Amino acid sequence: MLKRLLLSALLCYAGIAMAQTGHNSAKLSGKALDAITGKPVEYASVVLLHPTDSSVVTGMYTQPDGEFTFPNIAAGNYVLRVTFMGYDKLLKPVKIVPGKPSQFAGTLRLQPAGKVLNTVEIKAEKPAFSMQIDRQVFDAGSMITAEGGTGTDVLKNVPSVDVDIDDNITLRGKSVTIYVDGKPSPFGDAKTALQMIPAATIDRVEVINNPSAKFEAQGGGGIINIVLKKDKAIGYNVMVSMGVATRGQITGNANASLRIRKFNFFANYNGRQERQTGYGYSYRQNLITDTVGTAFFTQDSRNRNRNGGNGGRIGLDYFLDDYNTITISQGLNVSTGNSADDIMLNYMDVKRTPIRTGERHNNSNYRNPNNNTSLNFRHTTDKQNEELTAYISYSNNRGRNNSNYNTLYQFTNGTTPDDIDIQRNLGISRNEFWNIQTDYTTPVGKKGKFETGAKVTLRGNDNDYDAQLRNQATGEFEKSLTLSNTYYYKEDIYGGYVNFANAIGNLGYQVGARVEQAYLRGFSYTRDTSVNNRFLNVFPSVFLKYNLPRNENQSLIFNYSTRIDRPGFDQLLPYINNSDPQNIRAGNPELTPSLTHKFEANYSRYFPNTKDYLNTGVYYSQANDDIDRISMLDTATGVTTTRPMNLATDKDWGANFTYNLHIFPRWNVVTNLNMEYSRLTGATISNEYVTYGVTVNSHIRLPAKVSIQVNGHYRSPRVQPQGTFKAMNGVDLGIRKEMLKNNALAIALNISDVLNTQNFSSHYETDAFIQDYTRKRTTRFIRLNIRYRFGKMDPDMFKKKKKQEVPEEDTDDKEKDKDKKPADNRL
C-alpha cells in the first residue's frame, strides 16, 4: 500500500511540474547551416555560456530546419557554442539588449571537418583533470594503462582511490558508493559493478568527496560517478575491442548506437575470462597460549582462481518532442568462477618446537546471473533551466555457490592422525533491488536555482547456506546448525531533499538538507535471531564558491556535508565463515549506523598561458560509532574470530595538493600529494597515525600518434583499529598507437605493476596476540588490446533524397541583423 501511495504521489508531482511552462520574456533565436552546402544542420548542440567562466546558462538541439530558440534570457553578454559531430566547433559572442523582446543571433555556418565520416572519433584533447564546485573530474580517455581492462583498472589511475588486492574500492580509506551515469549502480556492490564495465566505454570519472543533499547519504567516503560514452548524433557509431594478457586474461567488448531522428538505439556486450594465482603468509605470536600450548603459529597458503563473465545491455532513447525524452534499457550479466586453495598450518610451542601440523584444501565454484531493467523520463519547459526527471530501476540476482573443505591435522611424528575434518557447503541466494527516484529543478530570479526530489530504495536478500560435516563414525554428512544459516534481509530507505543555490556578487552558495528514513529487517531461521532497526536521519549540506574579483581563473570552494554508513546484511546477520580454520569471520546483529561529518576547503587556479591547473585544499572528517573489523583470540582453541563492531570515533585531518603541469605542449604530468592524520578513540581502542600518499601520472604524446603513460603511486602505512595496513606502491606503463583516419584503430600495450611490488600486508598488535599478514597475487602482467571504431554521422542520412538548393540568408534574417554590430568570432 505504501508503494502505491508513493508512486501515485510521484505521478501527481510529475504532472504538476510538467504543467509549469514558462512564458517568453526575452527570446534569442538563430539558425545553424552547413557552410558548404547551405543545408540546415539538424540536432546540432547549441549551448549558451557565461563569458567569464564558461558556465552553462542553457542549451538545446537545433530543429530539422536548423533553427533554435532560447526563451527568457536575461540581458547581458554571452557566448554561443555550436557543436555537431563532423563539424568544427563554432563560438560566437552575443549580447542581449534590454527592452527588446526578440533578438536574433544570426545564421551560424558550421565548417565541416570532413564531408563524409568514415569513423566517428573526432577527438580533441580534454584535460586529464579538472575541478568543479562539488567534484573532481578525471578523463578516462587519457588512462592508457587501463586499455583493455575494466572500471576497476580505470580507478587505479585516480588519486585518493585505493583498490586493494581483492578489488575492493575505498576513497581516502573510507567506504564509497558507485554511481553509473548519475544513478546508483544496478549491479550491487562496488566491486561487482566495476568489473562489469569495460574501460573503453567510460568517458570520465567524477569523484565527489562531499556530495550535496541531492545524493543519497550512504557511503562515508563519498561517491564515485562513472560517466559512460554515449552518442546521440544522427547516424551510427560502433566500437569493438579485444585484448589478451599474460595472466590468461581474454577480453572482448562491443558498443554500438544508432540514431534515426527521434530514436536512438544503443547496445553493448562485454565478455572476459581470466586466471589468477597468489599466495599468503601469516606469522602470529600468541601472548596467551592455548590449551595445547601453542605460542607461535604460521600459515602458508597458495591459491588459484578462474573467473569469467558475459553480459550486455540494450536500450532506446525516444525523443517525444522538444521537451520530453523517454529511455528504456535492459541488461543481463552472468559471472562464473572457481577457485582452489591449499593452506599449510604449523603450530609451535614457546621454544618454536612444532606441536602439530595441518593441511587444508578448499575448492569452490559459483554462478551468478544478474538482470536489470530501467526506465527514465526527462521533461523540460520553455522556462530556462527548468527540468523534471523520473527514474525507476529493477535488478534481480540469483547466485549459487558450492564449496568443499578438507582438513587433516597430524602430530609432529606424522604417525597418529589428530583429527580429520571434511565439510561440504551449498549456498543459494536471491537479491532484488528497486530504485525509484524523481528530481525537479527550476530557476529562481536571475541567478538562483531550486531543487527538490524524492527517492525510494528497496533491497531484499534471501540466502540459504547449508554446511554439512562428515561424521567420522558413520561416514555420513550431517547438517551443522552452527555453520549453516538460512535467512532473509530487507532494507527499505525513503528519502527526500531540497537544495537552494544563488549568488551574491562573486560569492555563490548552495544550501540543502536531505531526510532519510531507513528500515533494516532480517531474520535467521537457523539461529532464530532477528534484526529489526529503523533510523531517521537529517543530512544538511552547505557549498560556497568565491570567484576572486581580479582574476576569473581563481576560486575558493568550501563545503560541508554529512554522510552515513549503514551496516549491510552481511555485517548484521550472524554467520560463521570458516574457510580459513584459524581465522574465522562472523557477523554482528548489534551494529548501528555510523554518522560522518565532513568539511573541505579548496583553492583552484587555472593558468591559461601554460594550461596548467592547481588545486589544493584541506579537509576534516569525524565518523561517530565508526564501523570496523576487530579480531579476538580464543585462548582455549587458538582461533581468531573477526567481526564488525561500532568501535570508536574516527577523526581525520588531511591536506591535498594536485598540480597538472604541461612541461611541453605534448607532455603533461599530474602530481597528487595527500597527507592525513588519523586518530581512533574508543572505550577499548586507541590508535593514531600519519599517512601520506603520492601519485604521479606522466602522459607524453609522441609523433606518429604514439602516446606513453607512466603511472606511479605510493601510500604509506595506514591506521586500523588494532594496528596498521602496511605501505603499498607500484608503477604501471602503457603505450598506445593510433592509426587510420580519425584514429579509428588503436593498439595499446600495457605492463601492470612493472616492479612487481604490489601486495597487501597488515600488522596486528593486541593484548592477546601479535600478527603479521601478507597476501600477494598476480599483479605484474602484459596486456595487448586492439580497439576499432567505425560509423557515420550525417543529419541527412535517414531523410528521403530530394534535390537541394543552397539557400541564401533570407531577407528577414538580414533585417534582424541590421542593428547588430559586427561580431568577433573569437571567444
Side-chain angles (χ1 to χ4, degrees), residues 222-283:
I223 292 172
I224 296 178
N225 183 32
I226 307 294
V227 181
L228 303 179
K229 297 175 181 177
K230 195 173 183 182
D231 204 317
K232 296 183 179 181
I234 296 292
Y236 65 91
N237 174 15
V238 180
M239 182 198 72
V240 293
S241 176
M242 295 186 63
V244 294
T246 54
R247 65 179 178 182
Q249 183 189 64
I250 301 175
T251 61
N253 61 78
N255 198 51
S257 64
L258 172 65
R259 173 71 185 271
I260 305 176
R261 298 181 64 80
K262 291 188 175 184
F263 295 91
N264 182 60
F265 302 91
F266 55 90
N268 65 68
Y269 163 80
N270 66 86
R272 60 180 178 86
Q273 294 289 333
E274 66 176 4
R275 295 193 304 269
Q276 282 278 358
T277 60
Y279 65 85
Y281 182 80
S282 66
Y283 176 85

Side-chain angles (χ1 to χ4, degrees), residues 632-802:
M632 304 293 291
L633 177 68
D634 186 330
T635 57
T637 63
V639 175
T640 61
T641 299
T642 302
R643 58 168 48 90
M645 297 181 66
N646 293 104
L647 292 176
T649 298
D650 181 7
K651 297 181 179 180
D652 300 316
W653 293 263
N656 189 75
F657 173 89
T658 302
Y659 195 88
N660 187 352
L661 172 66
H662 288 76
I663 300 176
F664 299 112
R666 290 179 170 268
W667 182 14
N668 72 290
V669 177
V670 179
T671 302
N672 176 267
L673 171 64
N674 188 80
M675 299 188 66
E676 186 174 280
Y677 168 68
S678 301
R679 185 170 67 191
L680 297 173
T681 55
T684 59
I685 294 295
S686 180
N687 204 355
E688 58 185 339
Y689 220 89
V690 175
T691 303
Y692 65 91
V694 180
T695 302
V696 179
N697 192 320
S698 175
H699 191 178
I700 304 175
R701 296 182 299 278
L702 301 176
K705 297 182 179 180
V706 175
S707 299
I708 299 177
Q709 181 190 5
V710 179
N711 184 30
H713 61 89
Y714 174 83
R715 194 208 69 208
S716 69
R718 192 177 69 218
V719 66
Q720 61 173 325
Q722 295 174 301
T724 59
F725 295 107
K726 296 183 180 180
M728 295 181 64
N729 66 90
V731 176
D732 300 325
L733 171 67
I735 303 173
R736 180 169 62 198
K737 164 69 175 175
E738 294 174 315
M739 294 172 282
L740 303 183
K741 187 176 180 181
N742 296 317
N743 303 326
L745 178 65
I747 300 177
L749 181 68
N750 300 328
I751 304 177
S752 176
D753 194 14
V754 177
L755 304 178
N756 199 27
T757 55
Q758 294 204 59
N759 57 26
F760 176 84
S761 301
S762 61
H763 175 76
Y764 293 86
E765 192 164 333
T766 73
D767 295 335
F769 69 93
I770 300 174
Q771 177 173 297
D772 286 283
Y773 178 61
T774 297
R775 286 181 61 199
K776 174 70 175 173
R777 70 172 185 178
T778 307
T779 55
R780 181 167 60 183
F781 59 88
I782 301 174
R783 180 169 57 211
L784 176 67
N785 190 74
I786 300 176
R787 171 169 48 87
Y788 180 64
R789 296 174 181 267
F790 63 93
K792 186 176 182 181
M793 296 294 125
D794 185 351
D796 298 321
M797 181 181 299
F798 300 104
K799 291 183 178 180
K800 293 182 179 180
K801 299 294 184 180
K802 62 180 181 179

